[in-house]
């Protein structure tokens, strides 16, 4: 274990091969961070790190430590495609102004671990995302992802007649080439599956491989992890958690953190703990 930086709503810990980010729970913490709980970012998944100061020299100044992921390294950021608000960026840590020296030292330590490939796109996903099975409630559908296929169950009140008449849909990963996530915080928010052998209707409310978001439906903290999980499984065509494969003790430690934070039920915790132990 190494240096630890505690900032607004998150703690960053410098480890031997990665940065462990633990997101705090609280009313002011972005809900996406609540959903993520904790993330381990391998040094090989980063292209750089910056330190900047906000304000004009007063007591309320803040220091911002910002890690920059390599293109193609993190399925969450790939799915987000630059649509996340700055305050929701999980690679951004805000610290009090008097922590500038510590932030600079932390950044230097990270830079020292970056290899010559840091400037190049990653050839595979290096950061883990939530594992299936997963559920998502959109305005016009309930979506499910079991690790091998995505299903759409249309809403009687939200779905257009086009979707309702076509009936529920199921798309195995083998039939897909990608995922398109449009933030619910902007106009036209939706989640669309890109099909290998078909072109969907450009209107998300008529596309049988798309779900429409709306007020109270498809929030960022629910829909973005869902999209990232599908993207990661699709890219690797292997279980999401195997990219990269984590050591069993690390997975159990992370699992315990999620359980302590209230992100897993007793049954979910027990099932995953036994599964990780069996995989050892």
């Amino acid at each position: 274990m190494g240096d630890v930086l505690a900032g607004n709503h998150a703690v960053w810990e410098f480890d031997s091969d990665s940065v462990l980010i633990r997101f705090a729970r609280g009313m002011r913490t972005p809900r996406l961070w609540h959903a993520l709980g904790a993330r381990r970012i391998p040094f090989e998944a980063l292209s750089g790190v910056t330190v900047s100061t906000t304000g004009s020299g007063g007591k309320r100044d803040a220091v911002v430590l910002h890690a920059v992921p390599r293109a193609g390294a993190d399925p969450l950021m790939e799915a987000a495609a630059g649509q996340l608000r700055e305050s929701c960026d999980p690679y951004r840590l805000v610290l009090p102004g008097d922590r500038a020296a510590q932030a600079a030292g932390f950044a230097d330590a990270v830079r020292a671990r970056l290899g010559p490939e840091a400037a190049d796109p990653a050839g595979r996903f290096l950061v883990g995302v939530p594992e299936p099975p997963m559920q998502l409630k959109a305005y016009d559908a309930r979506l499910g992802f079991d690790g091998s296929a995505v299903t759409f169950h249309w809403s009687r009140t939200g779905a257009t007649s086009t979707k309702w008449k076509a009936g529920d849909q199921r798309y195995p990963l083998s039939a897909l080439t990608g995922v398109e996530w449009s933030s619910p915080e902007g106009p036209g928010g939706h989640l669309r599956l890109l099909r290998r052998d078909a072109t969907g209707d450009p209107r998300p409310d008529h596309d049988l491989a798309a779900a429409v978001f709306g007020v109270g439906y498809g929030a960022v903290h629910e829909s973005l992890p869902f999209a990232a999980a599908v993207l990661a499984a699709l890219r690797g065509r292997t279980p999401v958690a195997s990219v990269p494969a984590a050591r069993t003790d690390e997975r159990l430690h992370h699992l315990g953190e999620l359980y302590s934070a209230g992100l897993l039920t007793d049954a979910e915790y027990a099932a995953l703990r036994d599964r990780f132990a069996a995989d050892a």
Side-chain angles (χ1 to χ4, degrees), residues 78-165:
E78 291 292 302
Q83 297 176 76
L84 283 179
R85 289 183 288 113
E86 186 178 76
S87 60
C88 288
D89 186 346
Y91 286 86
R92 186 174 181 268
L93 180 68
V94 179
L95 301 150
D98 60 5
R99 303 293 302 280
Q102 292 94 324
F106 195 99
D108 288 342
V110 172
R111 293 189 191 104
R113 296 301 185 99
L114 303 184
E117 73 283 352
D120 301 325
R124 61 187 177 92
F125 287 137
L126 300 167
V127 182
V129 292
E131 292 186 56
M134 302 183 71
Q135 302 289 326
L136 173 64
K137 187 175 182 180
Y139 174 71
D140 61 355
R142 285 184 295 105
L143 286 73
F145 177 48
D146 63 4
S148 63
V150 181
T151 55
F152 291 77
H153 298 282
W154 306 120
S155 164
R156 286 183 177 274
T157 56
T160 59
S161 59
T162 300
K163 292 182 174 180
W164 188 249
K165 291 177 180 178

